Amino acid sequence: MGAADLCRSSEGARLVFATSFDQKHPPENILDGNSKTFWITTGMFPQEFLIGFRKQVKIYKLTLQCYFVRSIKIEKSVTEEPWDLESLVEKALWPLPQFPGAQATFLRFIIQSAFDNFVSVYRVSAEGTADSPPA
């Protein structure tokens, strides 16, 4: 099986948690694959969201389409619940690095700072393959 975009609701990804909610631009928009929809934060930082996969995955490339994000921290977990998260990347400038087969069942994105009072996240894309059931 080739690499797929694992961060789509059509692939079984789900939004587990987000720190803010706007009725017109809910956090679930991040996973819908539509470039015209987005999640908007409601101010103040940090802001975060957590994506869960239906089984453990291997991620080779991670892309974040967003506006006004200055710095971000991304953490991962390989457990059945989003505990024991470990840092995958902490970056103030783009692009995000490539990941040589990072395994995850959950990804947490922490937007630490921004260039404005609000940020919008249009899409998260994780190219990779489904690996195995969670440990």
Side-chain angles (χ1 to χ4, degrees):
M1 180 178 165
D5 183 354
L6 302 168
C7 284
R8 290 185 124 185
S9 52
S10 61
E11 290 291 323
R14 67 193 190 288
L15 192 90
V16 178
F17 171 80
T19 53
S20 60
F21 180 84
D22 180 282
Q23 194 170 12
K24 292 182 181 178
H25 306 288
E28 291 80 11
N29 286 351
I30 296 168
L31 305 179
D32 68 6
N34 183 343
S35 62
K36 295 181 181 182
T37 62
F38 57 91
W39 170 57
I40 191 164
T41 64
T42 54
M44 298 186 45
F45 294 93
Q47 292 281 335
E48 62 183 78
F49 59 95
L50 180 73
I51 296 173
F53 303 102
R54 69 188 145 130
K55 60 178 161 178
Q56 190 166 295
V57 297
K58 270 189 188 171
I59 299 170
Y60 300 100
K61 183 179 179 184
L62 198 57
T63 306
L64 183 66
Q65 294 175 345
C66 58
Y67 282 109
F68 300 123
V69 172
R70 181 187 302 247
S71 64
I72 191 163
K73 181 176 185 178
I74 304 170
E75 299 175 330
K76 70 179 185 95
S77 174
V78 293
T79 60
E80 288 185 23
E81 298 294 328
W83 317 126
D84 300 322
L85 292 149
E86 60 185 66
S87 183
L88 189 58
V89 65
E90 190 164 351
K91 194 146 175 75
L93 300 172
W94 306 103
L96 293 175
Q98 303 252 343
F99 306 100
Q103 295 184 323
T105 50
F106 293 93
L107 290 176
R108 180 165 69 175
F109 295 79
I110 305 165
I111 301 168
Q112 297 173 317
S113 64
F115 292 104
D116 202 341
N117 293 323
F118 302 91
V119 302
S120 55
V121 179
Y122 283 78
R123 185 172 176 197
V124 174
S125 175
E127 291 179 28
T129 57
D131 198 21
S132 62

